C-alpha cells in the first residue's frame, strides 16, 4: 500500500466516502450533504501540506481503498482514516493506520490525538503500541479534542498522594486525566509510605521537586509537623489533605469540606442559613463542619459517641453555633431532624464490615424535605441511603465529595479548573 497526498482534483474520492451512510455511521452518524462536503473541502485545502498535514489517498495496486488524514488542531495533529466498505475486514485499516502513525511521528508537533472506530481492534493495538493515550470514537468529539498523547519528558512535573495503604486509590486516574485533557506536562502517582518513613518522603519531595501531593489516612494530622505554612481552613480543621511545594515552602490545605459542598451545589443543595446535622466527628466531619460554618449555615448539630474538644475550639473561632451531642440520645436526634435541612453521615457505619448497620434506627427519623448525604462511596447505597430512597428523599453518596475534593486540590496546585466532565467520564461517574 502507498499513500498519495490528495489534491482538489481528487476530492471525488473523499466525497464518495462522505456520502456513504455505512462509512459515516462510524464517524458523524450520518452522510454529509453537498454543502457540508464543500465546507470540508475548503477546510482541508487550507491545511499546510508543507508541515505534513493533509488527506492521503491509500492505494493498493493502483486501486484507491480509502483515505487517511493528518488534521491540524491547535499546534498539534489528529490521525484518522476511512476505508470504502467493500474493503472492510481485509486488513487495510491497520495497514493505513500504521502508515499514518509513521508520518505523524515524523512531524514537528508536540501532541498527537487519534480517531479510530472502536470495533477496529487491530488499529487500536497499533495506536496504543505507539503511545497514543487519546484514542477516541464517535460521540467523544468534544471530550477528545482536548485529549493529548501522554509524553513523559525531561520537563514533566510530578504530583502524587501519600498514605498507607493507597494502592486502591483512583486519585491517579482522576488527576492524570485532568493533566492530559488540559495538556499539562505533569503526572500523578501513588506513594505508599510507612509511618516511620514519612520524614524520608518529605525529604524526597524537596530533593525531587515534587510539585504537590495529597495526603490520606493515617497522615492528615501528622503531615502538619513538616509544613512551612497552613491555610486558615486547614488550621481550623486541624488536618491537611493537600500540600503544594512552592518557592521552597510546603503549604498545606484541606479540600474535603469544600469538595463535599461543591457536590451538594451540583445537586442544588444550598446550606446558607440552614440547620445541619452531622453524624460523627472524625477528620472528614471536621472539614465538613468548618466549611458549613464558613458558608453560613445557621446551626450545626454534631452527634458523636465521645467528647470532641475541637468542637468547643471551633465555637470560639466561628460565628455559627456548633453543638455536640451524644449518639446515645436518639430521641434528641429524632427531634433535631424534624427541622433539619441536611443530614450528613460521616462515620464508617454503612461500609464493610458494618454495611448492614445504620446509625439512624429506622425511616421514621427521615421526614419530608430532609436531604441526606453519606460520604461512603463503597457501597454506593448504604442502609441509610436505601431508607432515604424508599422515603422518596433526595440523597447522595460520597463519590461527589471524592471528585470535587480532588478538583479543589487540582486548582490549589495548578490554578486551573479541573475538567470535571472528562474526569467523571474516566472514573465512570457520568
Amino acid at each position: 500500500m502507498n499513500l498519495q497526498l490528495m489534491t482538489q482534483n481528487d476530492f471525488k474520492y473523499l466525497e464518495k466516502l462522505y456520502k456513504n451512510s455505512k462509512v459515516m455511521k462510524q464517524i458523524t452518524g450520518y452522510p454529509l450533504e453537498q454543502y457540508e462536503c464543500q465546507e470540508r473541502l475548503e477546510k482541508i485545502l487550507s491545511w499546510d501540506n508543507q508541515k505534513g498535514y493533509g488527506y492521503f489517498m491509500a492505494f493498493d495496486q493502483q486501486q484507491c481503498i480509502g483515505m487517511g488524514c493528518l488534521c491540524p488542531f491547535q499546534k498539534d495533529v489528529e490521525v484518522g482514516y476511512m476505508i470504502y466498505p467493500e474493503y472492510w475486514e481485509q486488513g487495510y485499516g491497520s495497514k493505513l493506520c500504521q502508515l499514518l502513525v509513521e508520518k505523524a511521528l515524523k512531524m514537528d508537533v508536540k501532541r498527537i490525538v487519534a480517531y479510530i472506530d472502536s470495533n477496529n481492534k487491530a488499529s487500536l493495538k497499533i495506536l496504543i503500541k505507539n503511545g497514543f493515550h487519546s484514542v477516541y470514537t464517535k460521540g467523544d468529539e468534544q471530550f477528545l479534542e482536548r485529549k493529548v498523547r501522554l509524553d513523559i519528558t525531561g520537563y514533566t512535573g510530578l504530583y502524587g498522594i501519600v498514605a498507607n495503604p493507597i494502592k486502591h486509590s483512583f486519585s491517579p486516574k482522576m488527576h492524570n486525566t485532568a493533566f492530559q485533557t488540559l495538556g499539562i506536562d505533569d503526572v500523578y502517582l501513588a506513594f505508599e509510605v510507612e509511618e516511620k518513613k514519612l520524614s524520608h518522603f518529605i525529604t524526597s519531595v524537596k530533593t525531587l521537586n515534587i510539585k504537590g501531593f495529597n495526603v490520606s489516612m493515617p497522615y492528615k494530622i501528622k503531615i502538619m509537623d513538616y509544613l512551612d505554612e497552613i491555610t486558615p481552613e486547614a488550621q481550623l480543621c486541624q488536618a491537611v489533605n493537600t500540600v503544594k511545594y512552592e518557592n521552597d515552602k510546603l503549604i498545606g490545605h484541606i479540600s474535603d469540606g469544600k469538595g463535599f459542598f461543591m457536590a451538594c451545589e451540583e445537586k442544588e443543595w444550598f446550606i446558607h442559613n440552614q440547620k445541619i446535622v452531622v453524624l460523627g466527628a472524625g477528620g472528614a466531619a471536621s472539614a465538613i463542619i468548618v466549611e458549613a460554618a464558613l458558608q453560613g449555615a445557621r446551626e450545626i448539630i454534631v452527634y458523636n459517641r465521645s467528647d470532641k474538644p475541637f468542637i468547643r475550639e471551633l465555637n470560639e473561632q466561628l460565628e455559627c453555633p456548633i453543638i455536640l451531642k451524644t449518639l446515645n440520645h436518639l430521641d434528641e436526634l429524632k427531634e433535631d431532624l424534624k427541622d433539619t435541612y441536611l443530614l450528613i453521615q460521616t462515620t464508617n457505619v454503612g461500609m464493610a464490615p458494618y454495611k448492614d448497620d445504620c446509625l439512624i434506627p429506622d425511616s421514621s427519623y427521615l421526614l419530608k424535605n430532609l436531604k441526606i448525604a453519606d460520604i461512603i462511596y463503597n457501597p454506593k447505597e448504604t442502609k441509610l441511603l436505601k431508607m432515604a430512597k424508599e422515603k422518596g428523599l433526595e440523597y447522595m453518596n460520597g463519590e461527589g465529595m471524592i471528585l470535587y475534593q480532588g478538583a479543589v486540590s487540582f486548582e490549589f496546585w495548578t490554578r486551573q479548573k479541573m475538567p470535571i466532565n472528562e474526569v467523571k467520564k474516566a472514573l465512570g461517574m457520568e
Side-chain angles (χ1 to χ4, degrees):
M1 182 187 293
N2 60 80
L3 301 185
Q4 179 179 315
L5 184 65
M6 188 191 81
T7 66
Q8 186 167 359
N9 294 332
D10 302 315
F11 186 64
K12 58 188 177 186
Y13 294 102
L14 183 56
E15 192 173 38
K16 182 180 175 182
L17 286 162
Y18 281 156
K19 291 186 175 181
N20 189 301
S21 58
K22 198 171 181 181
V23 172
M24 296 308 287
K25 184 179 180 181
Q26 304 294 332
I27 304 173
T28 63
Y30 60 90
L32 299 186
E33 298 289 342
Q34 185 61 43
Y35 77 91
E36 292 176 295
C37 289
Q38 189 61 36
E39 287 177 354
R40 293 284 181 103
L41 172 62
E42 292 173 1
K43 187 173 183 180
I44 291 165
L45 293 176
S46 71
W47 297 350
D48 190 342
N49 301 143
Q50 298 299 317
K51 291 184 178 180
Y53 300 114
Y55 258 88
F56 298 87
M57 296 182 293
F59 287 92
D60 186 18
Q61 297 181 356
Q62 299 184 334
Q63 186 68 40
C64 183
I65 54 90
M67 291 274 178
C69 64
L70 298 175
C71 313
F73 84 65
Q74 299 175 9
K75 296 179 180 178
D76 311 313
V77 64
E78 177 189 299
V79 176
Y81 66 84
M82 297 180 286
I83 302 290
Y84 293 121
E86 56 265 34
Y87 297 108
W88 287 3
E89 299 182 1
Q90 296 180 37
Y92 286 113
S94 56
K95 290 179 183 177
L96 177 51
C97 182
Q98 182 64 49
L99 291 173
L100 290 167
V101 166
E102 290 171 4
K103 279 184 172 291
L105 292 174
K106 293 176 183 177
M107 294 173 67
D108 184 20
V109 294
K110 181 179 179 183
R111 302 176 300 180
I112 306 174
V113 298
Y115 178 92
I116 186 67
D117 170 16
S118 55
N119 295 319
N120 194 325
K121 303 294 190 252
S123 291
L124 189 60
K125 287 181 181 178
I126 291 170
L127 292 165
I128 292 172
K129 180 181 176 182
N130 284 278
F132 287 75
H133 292 254
S134 54
V135 177
Y136 64 96
T137 59
K138 188 185 69 175
D140 294 330
E141 287 81 6
Q142 187 176 6
F143 168 48
L144 292 152
E145 279 183 1
R146 295 195 298 275
K147 292 194 74 176
V148 297
R149 184 181 178 194
L150 182 58
D151 285 316
I152 305 299
T153 72
Y155 297 96
T156 301
L158 180 59
Y159 290 88
I161 181 168
V162 59
N164 190 18
I166 198 55
K167 290 185 173 69
H168 63 283
S169 174
F170 53 66
S171 289
K173 190 166 190 178
M174 178 192 308
H175 290 287
N176 285 320
T177 296
F179 290 143
Q180 188 175 351
T181 301
L182 297 176
I184 296 174
D185 189 13
D186 291 323
V187 294
Y188 184 107
L189 303 177
F191 302 109
E192 194 164 278
V193 176
E194 297 175 15
E195 186 169 355
K196 63 183 179 182
K197 295 182 179 178
L198 185 60
S199 62
H200 298 174
F201 171 76
I202 296 300
T203 300
S204 299
V205 169
K206 296 178 178 179
T207 302
L208 301 175
N209 198 27
I210 294 174
K211 298 165 79 172
F213 57 94
N214 285 122
V215 186
S216 194
M217 299 302 294
Y219 302 136
K220 287 187 175 184
I221 296 173
K222 189 174 181 62
I223 198 70
M224 297 173 73
D225 295 337
Y226 300 95
L227 304 180
D228 299 299
E229 295 178 14
I230 300 173
T231 63
E233 298 97 321
Q235 288 176 344
L236 286 167
C237 296
Q238 300 178 18
V240 162
N241 79 330
T242 303
V243 178
K244 67 179 173 182
Y245 185 45
E246 189 174 78
N247 299 324
D248 293 324
K249 289 185 178 180
L250 289 169
I251 305 168
H253 186 45
I254 188 81
S255 65
D256 288 334
K258 189 165 288 186
F260 174 81
F261 285 108
M262 286 172 71
C264 289
E265 288 168 12
E266 186 174 67
K267 295 184 69 67
E268 297 186 352
W269 298 358
F270 302 103
I271 53 102
H272 182 76
N273 204 32
Q274 300 285 1
K275 178 180 176 181
I276 294 172
V277 169
V278 180
L279 304 180
S286 66
I288 289 170
I289 291 165
V290 167
E291 187 62 28
L294 293 174
Q295 291 198 19
R298 183 179 81 245
E299 179 184 25
I300 303 171
I301 312 295
V302 181
Y303 279 85
N304 198 55
R305 296 193 189 281
S306 59
D307 185 34
K308 285 289 182 178
F310 89 90
I311 296 291
R312 290 192 292 274
E313 295 174 17
L314 287 178
N315 272 307
E316 295 173 3
Q317 301 174 72
L318 298 168
E319 295 183 6
C320 173
I322 306 169
I323 302 163
L324 181 65
K325 297 185 179 182
T326 176
L327 266 171
N328 296 328
H329 295 167
L330 293 175
D331 289 340
E332 277 191 60
L333 174 58
K334 192 170 189 177
E335 190 64 28
D336 268 321
L337 289 176
K338 287 181 180 179
D339 63 343
T340 293
Y341 176 79
L342 175 61
L343 169 65
I344 309 168
Q345 200 294 121
T346 70
T347 76
N348 62 351
V349 177
M351 64 189 295
Y354 313 108
K355 64 179 182 179
D356 295 323
D357 298 335
C358 183
L359 294 175
I360 301 294
D362 58 67
S363 61
S364 67
Y365 284 66
L366 311 179
L367 303 181
K368 184 179 179 181
N369 296 325
L370 177 66
K371 294 168 175 47
I372 300 174
D374 194 324
I375 69 169
I376 292 170
Y377 59 90
N378 186 18
K380 290 191 174 184
E381 282 190 2
T382 59
K383 186 175 180 180
L384 173 61
L385 296 187
K386 287 176 181 176
M387 284 197 293
K389 187 177 184 178
E390 289 168 4
K391 294 277 286 191
L393 304 179
E394 293 184 58
Y395 66 92
M396 74 174 185
N397 65 17
E399 280 189 345
M401 177 178 174
I402 293 294
L403 172 67
Y404 284 106
Q405 65 79 27
V408 173
S409 296
F410 186 85
E411 188 170 354
F412 182 67
W413 296 323
T414 68
R415 297 178 178 85
Q416 293 192 52
K417 299 285 187 184
M418 176 178 277
I420 291 296
N421 291 336
E422 287 82 349
V423 172
K424 278 185 178 180
K425 191 164 192 171
L427 299 178
M429 293 182 180
E430 302 98 319

